[in-house]
Amino acid sequence: ENLQYVGAFKARGACNAIFSLPDEDARRGVVAHSSGNHAAAVARAAKLRRIPATIVMPHNSRPNKLAAVRALGVDPVLCDPDELSRQAAANAVVESTGAVLIHPYDDPRTIAGQGTAALEWTAQRTGPLDSVVVPVGGGGLLSGTLLTIKERWPDTMVFAAEPELA
């Protein structure tokens, strides 16, 4: 997944979410909140679809993450570095512009896109595994992987793993 454009699986979810929007919704643009990879993925997917994007990012986001979004033609809207502030800023954009929120992990379109990583991986296997361990942050990759694995191999156990210091 580090070979994806933004260096992460987030490109899958953002592209799926944005390219699956009906044209009427897409014309209103999209908004996302993220401190990094989802921000750049949404900015890029919107650019590819040629629709407006607003990206809400915490003011303390890493400089390279802010630069990546700006390089895609989006000047981030900065907010306080907490979930409530991010969501409030994104909601304000939705209310004022009618843009569609592309949530980084709590959106069926994003989850389905992120699940394509597991879909590709399982297609290369000849049979099920006893278990699969999936990294988890917000849960989008985990959700998409879980749906894919359980559809293909219902008896395979799926475990979420988070780094100890995360």
Side-chain angles (χ1 to χ4, degrees):
E1 289 306 296
N2 63 326
L3 299 178
Q4 295 285 351
Y5 180 80
V6 297
F9 64 90
K10 297 289 189 172
R12 294 172 177 270
C15 284
N16 189 66
I18 289 171
F19 280 92
S20 68
L21 290 174
D23 289 341
E24 182 179 319
D25 292 342
R27 279 192 285 277
R28 296 192 318 264
V30 295
V31 61
H33 60 81
S34 165
S35 58
N37 292 335
H38 182 68
V42 168
R44 179 173 180 263
K47 183 176 182 175
L48 290 172
R49 184 143 185 206
R50 297 187 173 127
I51 63 173
T54 302
I55 306 297
V56 175
M57 298 180 78
H59 64 75
N60 64 348
S61 296
R62 290 182 22 211
N64 64 317
K65 300 296 183 176
L66 291 162
V69 171
R70 289 183 178 119
L72 290 161
V74 178
D75 191 24
V77 172
L78 301 179
C79 67
D80 287 335
D82 61 78
E83 188 64 27
L84 290 176
S85 296
R86 289 181 189 199
Q87 192 62 54
N91 289 347
V93 172
V94 170
E95 290 175 24
S96 67
T97 68
V100 177
L101 176 65
I102 307 297
H103 197 279
Y105 51 83
D106 193 12
D107 182 317
R109 300 164 300 201
T110 303
I111 291 167
Q114 292 175 357
T116 63
L119 189 63
E120 289 177 16
W121 180 73
T122 60
Q124 297 173 23
R125 305 247 346 132
T126 58
L129 296 172
D130 292 333
S131 62
V132 175
V133 179
V134 184
V136 64
L141 179 64
L142 172 63
S143 298
T145 301
L146 181 65
L147 291 168
T148 299
I149 295 294
K150 289 301 184 176
E151 173 64 27
R152 295 184 65 112
W153 306 325
D155 295 329
T156 298
M157 299 285 293
V158 178
F159 296 96
E162 182 179 40
E164 185 174 344
L165 301 176

